[in-house]
Amino acid sequence: MKIITLRTNAWHGDWERVFEFPDNVTVDILSPKDSRPLTYREIMEKLYHPFGKSLHELSLNKSNILIVTDDLGRPTPCYEIIPHILKILYNTGLKKENISFLIATGSHRQLNDVELGKKLGQNIVRDFQTASHDAFNSPMVDLGETRYGFPCLVNEKAVKADLIIGIGCVLPHSGQGFGGGAKLFLPGIAGMKSIIAMHGFLPKRGRGNLQSRLFDMRTASESFTDKLPPIFLINTVINTERKICGLFAGSHREVYTEASRSAEQIYKTPIQFDKLKQYSVIIANAYPLDADPVQSDKVKWIHRTFSHCFPVHINSAIDDIYYHGWKMLKRHSVFNKAGLFLGKILSLHISFIPGISNLIMPIMKQIRNQIIDLLLKTSNVDYKSFLKNQRIRETLQKDNIGYAPDSSHKPWFYSEHFSENAFHKKYKMGLLFNDWGVLSKSIAHVFPNAKIAVLPCAPMQIPVVLKTIEKDKTDEKDRQLTAFQNDDYTFQPESPRKTASAIT
């Protein structure tokens, strides 16, 4: 019996679990480069030496400080950073009543008090005003449009603040290149009109890409954030144990760029080219995004990177509430799907014909805004309505032993908590197991003598294939990076999609 250990259950124990395999398979663990956690002193050093003005300088003579953090769908241990921030703020004369907290949920669900305590610290929930953003129902302020014509609706709390302090992390992201940076504010604390305009009408940047020739989802977030009050941003890079191994503070653009460059190196996962084609099964562990079932698609890049392999996912999904406002609105009806498709097609203009953009842009913007207004009027998909209309189902208890799994089911999915109904909405051709022993034996049965590759923290990993140029040379300098690119993933950071510029 072969044994490996993988980390699971982010935010709900973060413990190591043993996974057993039969003797007739071979198992390789493909780990990222990784990095050690920062010390207390190093975190303080990073906060006191930011890009641009210091937090102490920015907070002088301020009376309303709003601290915006990401939610439990991201692995950022905000509770480790907040005490350092409060120490700086208190040294400028600010008091508890001058400081409040807002969870940047985007169109995800709101957090309850227990979850707020996990993210911020129980003492923060007890002593400070805390709230979760609600993209459908929170009071919003319309800040007009960016210079590209992008609509900017933002939570009222942000506009009333004298200074916003943002805390988030940087992970590879198909829409924005990397998460973090201005993404904390759009979609984090934006109204649904802005969220729909970004997700429904703008091109994606590509997972791991830091460059763009278009006004895409990342540049939309940045132009949106430029319209907010002064911001002091803190972005972390998280290691494979969900510990802070990098911290960058200050101006949101510089912070994002430097944090992403650091993440690119730490998450780099070398794979020998001559071994790649030998694997027949790829197992992707969703840690540290394995608590929220909505985040399960953050490992989907493996389906093309390892296109010849049979995919197996490990995802705790211990939260077991499959709610995402934007995705539910997009799939709410045939009208919604058709409207968004039509709007996206119309929002692309022919940029290579001189003058055409200026002629059609106002018309395209009007059509886009009308589509968004109709979607919001006809779709009742906010989180309160979700809870009212859907009974929270019991954890799946079905006995998988009676199944006769074969390779026609893709992917195989191991989770003790993902409800069967939610799973099959997302993975129509997949097969759900709640018993690892059954799944392991099924692999050995369907793929005898399989060579298995395991990605221990797939959402953060950036695979890089190492190819030897000359067989008689083995020195590292004789290796080159071979990029395999497509629309959704790449072994190296993606290039921007080659589409026409977007009307925004």
Side-chain angles (χ1 to χ4, degrees):
M1 188 70 68
K2 295 180 174 67
I3 295 175
I4 66 170
T5 59
L6 296 174
R7 208 165 183 85
T8 64
N9 289 278
W11 297 108
H12 298 270
D14 291 90
W15 48 282
E16 289 188 341
R17 170 161 182 177
V18 172
F19 291 85
E20 297 180 343
F21 294 85
D23 288 329
N24 67 330
V25 302
T26 303
V27 183
D28 289 344
I29 297 180
L30 307 180
S31 299
K33 191 174 180 181
D34 212 2
S35 184
R36 66 168 179 82
L38 296 181
T39 65
Y40 176 93
R41 186 180 187 87
E42 287 171 327
I43 291 175
M44 289 299 294
E45 282 290 315
K46 297 288 186 180
L47 289 175
Y48 277 102
H49 297 88
F51 298 98
K53 293 182 179 180
S54 69
L55 179 56
H56 183 276
E57 183 181 357
L58 287 170
S59 58
L60 287 172
N61 302 315
K62 300 295 192 300
S63 60
N64 186 355
I65 307 293
L66 180 66
I67 300 178
V68 178
T69 77
D70 54 15
D71 61 15
L72 290 186
R74 296 293 181 269
T76 321
C78 295
Y79 55 85
E80 291 186 9
I81 301 169
I82 290 169
H84 300 298
I85 295 172
L86 294 178
K87 182 178 180 181
I88 296 172
L89 296 179
Y90 292 156
N91 285 339
T92 66
L94 286 161
K95 301 185 183 302
K96 289 181 180 179
E97 54 265 31
N98 302 121
I99 304 166
S100 60
F101 291 81
L102 179 64
I103 306 296
T105 59
S107 67
H108 297 178
R109 69 176 182 84
Q110 290 73 59
L111 275 59
N112 60 39
D113 285 347
V114 173
E115 293 165 332
L116 286 170
K118 288 178 182 287
K119 191 71 185 185
L120 307 176
Q122 292 294 344
N123 60 319
I124 300 299
V125 180
R126 182 186 65 239
D127 297 338
F128 292 84
Q129 180 184 348
T130 62
S132 290
H133 174 69
D134 184 339
F136 290 94
N137 300 309
S138 289
M140 301 288 172
V141 175
D142 188 343
L143 298 179
E145 297 178 340
T146 69
R147 64 188 180 92
Y148 300 102
F150 187 86
C152 297
L153 277 79
V154 68
N155 192 296
E156 182 182 69
K157 293 179 182 294
V159 178
K160 289 182 175 180
D162 299 320
L163 173 67
I164 299 172
I165 301 170
I167 310 174
C169 72
V170 170
L171 292 170
H173 189 276
S174 62
Q176 302 246 354
F178 284 89
K183 185 178 182 295
L184 184 66
F185 308 105
L186 173 68
I189 59 172
M192 276 307 296
K193 185 172 183 179
S194 296
I195 291 173
I196 295 170
M198 181 180 73
H199 285 89
F201 298 90
L202 294 181
K204 295 181 177 183
R205 175 160 293 194
R207 188 178 191 269
N209 182 39
L210 285 170
Q211 304 296 325
S212 179
R213 297 185 295 271
L214 304 169
F215 184 75
D216 58 11
M217 292 174 71
R218 167 56 57 177
T219 48
S221 292
E222 291 177 344
S223 62
F224 178 98
T225 301
D226 288 338
K227 297 179 75 69
L228 300 179
I231 291 172
F232 184 85
L233 182 65
I234 300 165
N235 269 174
T236 62
V237 179
I238 305 300
N239 69 12
T240 56
E241 296 184 344
R242 206 167 65 80
K243 302 294 184 183
I244 299 171
C245 62
L247 190 144
F248 304 82
S251 167
H252 75 85
R253 279 188 172 82
E254 290 177 284
V255 164
Y256 170 73
T257 299
E258 294 304 314
S260 297
R261 286 173 178 167
S262 174
E264 191 176 29
Q265 295 304 310
I266 291 170
Y267 300 154
K268 185 180 293 184
T269 304
I271 304 172
Q272 297 296 331
F273 181 77
D274 57 350
K275 287 187 176 181
L276 179 62
K277 294 299 181 181
Q278 297 176 14
Y279 297 121
S280 53
V281 176
I282 178 71
I283 296 180
N285 184 30
Y287 185 86
L289 302 184
D290 63 335
D292 180 358
V294 171
Q295 303 301 323
S296 62
D297 61 1
K298 293 296 190 295
V299 304
K300 69 180 182 180
W301 57 266
I302 69 161
H303 294 273
R304 292 189 179 179
T305 305
F306 296 87
S307 59
H308 61 289
C309 295
F310 187 84
V312 177
H313 297 191
I314 297 175
N315 193 317
S316 165
I318 194 169
D319 179 272
D320 193 32
I321 301 178
Y322 189 76
Y323 175 81
H324 191 298
W326 153 246
K327 290 183 178 179
M328 292 184 70
L329 183 145
K330 180 172 64 172
R331 300 165 184 166
H332 182 68
S333 65
V334 174
F335 166 78
N336 287 22
K337 293 177 183 177
L340 286 166
F341 176 77
L342 175 64
K344 197 158 193 173
I345 295 298
L346 291 175
S347 70
L348 299 176
H349 67 281
I350 306 172
S351 58
F352 49 84
I353 301 178
I356 192 70
S357 301
N358 292 334
L359 291 174
I360 67 171
M361 185 178 290
I363 299 172
M364 296 302 100
K365 283 170 52 179
Q366 184 176 2
I367 292 173
R368 178 200 65 192
N369 291 339
Q370 288 178 349
I371 290 173
I372 291 173
D373 288 342
L374 279 172
L375 291 176
L376 291 173
K377 287 177 182 177
T378 58
S379 306
N380 191 25
V381 294
D382 65 302
Y383 184 55
K384 290 180 180 177
S385 298
F386 169 83
L387 291 179
K388 185 182 298 183
N389 298 326
Q390 177 173 315
R391 181 174 62 89
I392 304 301
R393 288 168 293 277
E394 295 292 326
T395 299
L396 176 65
Q397 297 296 328
K398 188 170 183 177
D399 182 5
N400 293 114
I401 296 176
Y403 286 176
D406 58 55
S407 58
S408 66
H409 299 281
K410 284 187 179 181
W412 289 358
F413 200 102
Y414 171 66
S415 177
E416 295 178 344
H417 304 284
F418 213 137
S419 66
E420 189 173 16
N421 186 55
F423 172 79
H424 286 294
K425 283 182 179 179
K426 188 169 184 66
Y427 300 98
K428 297 186 185 304
M429 298 300 294
L431 187 60
L432 179 64
F433 294 79
N434 68 346
D435 185 320
W436 174 257
V438 174
L439 192 154
S440 177
K441 290 177 182 177
S442 298
I443 292 175
H445 175 72
V446 178
F447 304 97
N449 304 313
K451 188 161 187 176
I452 302 171
V454 179
L455 300 170
C457 44
M460 61 171 57
Q461 293 184 246
I462 302 176
V464 177
V465 174
L466 299 176
K467 184 176 182 181
T468 304
I469 299 175
E470 297 181 27
K471 291 183 178 179
D472 59 337
K473 293 183 179 181
T474 57
D475 194 85
E476 187 67 27
K477 68 181 179 181
D478 294 312
R479 299 185 183 277
Q480 66 179 4
L481 300 181
T482 304
F484 292 75
Q485 295 184 346
N486 63 67
D487 286 345
D488 299 316
Y489 77 93
T490 180
F491 285 123
Q492 286 183 326
E494 288 182 16
S495 298
R497 292 188 176 190
K498 294 181 180 180
T499 60
S501 301
I503 294 291
T504 56

